[in-house]
């Protein structure tokens, strides 16, 4: 799905791909947080989650960074992305390890119908619930703030400086190349 995500960004743009991947992720995490049956969990883990997560990681964060940065700030943007990915992965692992041995009684004021009838949740289910809220927050940011726009100036190309422009044909006649 990661390669598909890159193709989706190229075909439909960053915004449309982000909205679709985040929407699938919201449904997937919601099913994992509130689902009660084995079939629901299997569908969320094997059907929805791989698409949402892979499209977000490769398609959005990697390809979109190249599209939405200039040559001058691209290395910095990729460095920030790498650092944030590593920090969030480390924090998620620590949180999962801390929450795993505990069960949590849900407050009585929460409506049971919203929580799938639960009165208690395992630590890992609470962890998934927190990540569901994080994906909801990301979706809330993407809807009003992410737009497809070209940040790279039109005169800037990705050709290496030493490469001759004549190497790129301007007509389909086969022999006439001009810079």
């Amino acid at each position: 799905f990661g390669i598909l995500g890159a193709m989706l960004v190229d075909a439909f743009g960053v915004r449309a791909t982000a909205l679709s991947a985040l929407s699938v992720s919201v449904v997937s995490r919601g099913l994992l947080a509130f689902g009660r049956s084995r079939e629901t969990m299997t569908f969320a883990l094997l059907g929805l989650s791989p698409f949402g997560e892979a499209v977000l990681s490769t398609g959005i964060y990697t390809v979109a960074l190249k599209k939405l940065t200039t040559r001058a700030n691209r290395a910095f943007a990729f460095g920030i992305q790498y650092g944030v990915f590593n920090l969030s992965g480390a924090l998620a692992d620590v949180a999962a390890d801390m929450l795993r041995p505990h069960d949590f009684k849900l407050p009585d004021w929460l409506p049971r119908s919203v929580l799938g009838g639960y009165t208690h949740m395992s630590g890992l289910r609470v962890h998934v619930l927190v990540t569901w809220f994080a994906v909801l927050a990301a979706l809330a940011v993407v809807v009003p703030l992410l737009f497809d726009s070209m940040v790279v100036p039109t005169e800037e190309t990705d050709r290496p400086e030493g490469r001759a422009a004549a190497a790129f044909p301007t007509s389909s006649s086969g022999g006439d190349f001009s810079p």
Side-chain angles (χ1 to χ4, degrees), residues 31-63:
L31 289 173
L32 290 173
F34 303 116
R36 298 186 77 147
S37 71
R38 179 181 292 259
E39 293 79 17
T40 301
M41 299 296 199
T42 302
F43 176 67
L45 283 173
L46 300 178
L48 297 176
S49 188
F51 174 79
E53 305 301 324
V55 169
L56 283 174
S57 67
T58 303
I60 299 299
Y61 301 123
T62 304
V63 176

Side-chain angles (χ1 to χ4, degrees), residues 77 94 161:
V94 169
E161 301 302 313

Side-chain angles (χ1 to χ4, degrees), residues 13-132:
V14 175
R15 179 180 171 81
T17 306
L19 287 172
S20 63
L22 282 169
S23 298
V24 170
S25 291
V26 164
V27 172
S28 172
R29 302 260 176 121
L31 289 173
L32 290 173
F34 303 116
R36 298 186 77 147
S37 71
R38 179 181 292 259
E39 293 79 17
T40 301
M41 299 296 199
T42 302
F43 176 67
L45 283 173
L46 300 178
L48 297 176
S49 188
F51 174 79
E53 305 301 324
V55 169
L56 283 174
S57 67
T58 303
I60 299 299
Y61 301 123
T62 304
V63 176
L65 273 179
K66 182 164 186 324
K67 284 186 159 206
L68 300 175
T69 57
T70 63
R71 209 181 274 175
N73 65 7
R74 192 167 294 145
F76 179 72
F78 276 101
I80 294 292
Q81 175 209 17
Y82 186 75
V84 168
F85 271 22
N86 284 332
L87 178 64
S88 62
L91 292 176
D93 289 345
V94 169
D97 286 342
M98 287 175 39
L99 291 171
R100 184 175 301 142
H102 304 288
D103 282 339
F104 296 90
K105 181 182 182 323
L106 299 174
D108 292 330
W109 55 266
L110 286 174
R112 299 290 177 244
S113 60
V114 173
L115 300 173
Y118 290 111
T119 58
H120 290 78
M121 283 188 159
S122 71
L124 288 179
R125 193 172 290 256
V126 169
H127 183 17
V128 172
L129 181 66
V130 169
T131 64
W132 180 68

